Amino acid sequence: MASSDDDGPSARDFFAVGSSSFSEFLAAHRPELLPTRRPFPDGVRAAPDRFPHGTTVLALAYRDGVMIAGDRRATMGNLIAQRDLEKVHPADDHTAVAFAGTVGLALDMVKLYQVELKHFEKVEGIPMTLGAKATRLAGMIRQNLGQAMQGLAVVPLLAGYDTGARDGRRGRIFGFDVTGGAYEKSDFHAEGSGSPYARGALKKLFHPDMTRREAALAALQALYDAADDDSATGGPDLGRRIFPIVSVITAEGFERLPEPETEDLTREMVEQRRSRPDGPNATP
């Protein structure tokens, strides 16, 4: 059992009355463990080709909830750093987070956010509302502003099924900027260097009564368009059997589409592109 500040928090610290935020607990007792610490002295910026960066991620609402998806590529400048990166993660039973930006920091932020939500629920006895989850994630991004200014930005995308919504759609999507601004998005959104092309594809394919299959195909088409015009976004790799990650959040909770289902839909989409390279027309 730790007994001094140098060794870490003591048993008394864990039972002291305080905030329900795990991040604030770490900041008070073990700040060096926070992923938001500046890695470089003031005035020093990270070289853009030295750290893996991930793109592109997107989310869209559909009939039963919300879908969130991402390509698998990470780049370092003109190099492909990783071909099978996982950018979409469950945050809790009814919330998922995806990320674009500096991979190492993003993965640490996702892990901290998962603990943050679990810690709050255990301390308060109830889960956070979806709006509060977005606010809490915005605060974590704001704490990372110093690193973002040094070239190590993380821009997440939050999607969730709002079990407390009384009317209207329960699938909700939140985008963020590097300063911690949180913005609820209607219908669909995308982040990362390929996001303008992904949003353009979703704009022509989206309709509010999409089935899970239609939403998945729209997400795959959007990621394909992003990879077609953005070299940092990876398209489906049929030879290596590396496909985008597609997940849904419904009343039943978070579910990642099984790989065989994603593979079948991806191959169907690629086959359609042979006769229509620019993708399907807008939904009438």
Side-chain angles (χ1 to χ4, degrees), residues 70-150:
D71 81 308
R72 307 293 295 276
R73 178 174 291 178
T75 58
M76 288 194 303
N78 65 320
L79 300 178
I80 298 176
Q82 189 172 347
R83 301 180 188 274
D84 60 352
L85 178 65
E86 298 200 7
K87 305 174 187 176
V88 179
H89 301 266
D92 62 13
D93 290 343
H94 288 92
T95 317
V97 62
F99 66 83
T102 308
V103 173
L105 295 179
L107 290 173
D108 280 349
M109 186 178 291
V110 168
K111 293 174 184 176
L112 180 60
Y113 186 60
Q114 291 168 333
V115 176
E116 184 83 3
L117 298 187
K118 187 176 295 185
H119 180 79
F120 178 92
E121 186 169 352
K122 288 187 175 183
V123 171
E124 299 293 341
I126 57 172
M128 282 189 196
T129 64
L130 187 53
K133 293 174 188 177
T135 300
R136 189 62 60 94
L137 183 55
M140 293 174 65
I141 299 167
R142 194 171 299 113
Q143 291 172 350
N144 191 59
L145 182 58
Q147 293 188 89
M149 294 298 99
Q150 292 182 321

Side-chain angles (χ1 to χ4, degrees), residues 138-139 141-145 148-149 154-155 176-183:
I141 299 167
R142 194 171 299 113
Q143 291 172 350
N144 191 59
L145 182 58
M149 294 298 99
V154 175
V155 182
F176 304 85
D177 62 36
V178 294
T179 66
Y183 313 95

Side-chain angles (χ1 to χ4, degrees), residues 7 72 79 107 114 117 122 189 223 230 254 259 261:
D7 294 331
R72 307 293 295 276
L79 300 178
L107 290 173
Q114 291 168 333
L117 298 187
K122 288 187 175 183
H189 189 59
L223 290 171
D230 173 47
F254 174 91
E259 188 165 319
E261 180 179 355

Side-chain angles (χ1 to χ4, degrees), residues 61-65 162 165 167-172 187 206-210:
Y62 74 108
R63 180 189 300 171
D64 298 324
D162 192 346
D167 52 20
R169 288 190 170 273
R170 295 195 171 191
R172 298 172 65 187
D187 300 332
F206 177 84
H207 65 85
D209 200 36
M210 301 177 87

Side-chain angles (χ1 to χ4, degrees), residues 53-60 66-74 85-89 96-103 106-107 110 137 153-159 173-176 185 187-202 218-227 230 232-234 243-247:
H53 280 69
T55 58
T56 299
V57 295
L58 59 86
L60 66 154
V66 63
M67 179 170 287
I68 185 166
D71 81 308
R72 307 293 295 276
R73 178 174 291 178
L85 178 65
E86 298 200 7
K87 305 174 187 176
V88 179
H89 301 266
V97 62
F99 66 83
T102 308
V103 173
L107 290 173
V110 168
L137 183 55
V154 175
V155 182
L157 178 62
L158 184 70
I173 301 164
F174 295 87
F176 304 85
K185 304 295 182 176
D187 300 332
F188 59 84
H189 189 59
E191 293 287 1
S193 60
S195 61
Y197 314 107
R199 285 198 295 268
L202 291 173
L220 292 170
Q221 293 278 11
L223 290 171
Y224 193 98
D225 276 354
D230 173 47
T233 303
F243 306 101
I245 293 176
V246 182
S247 299

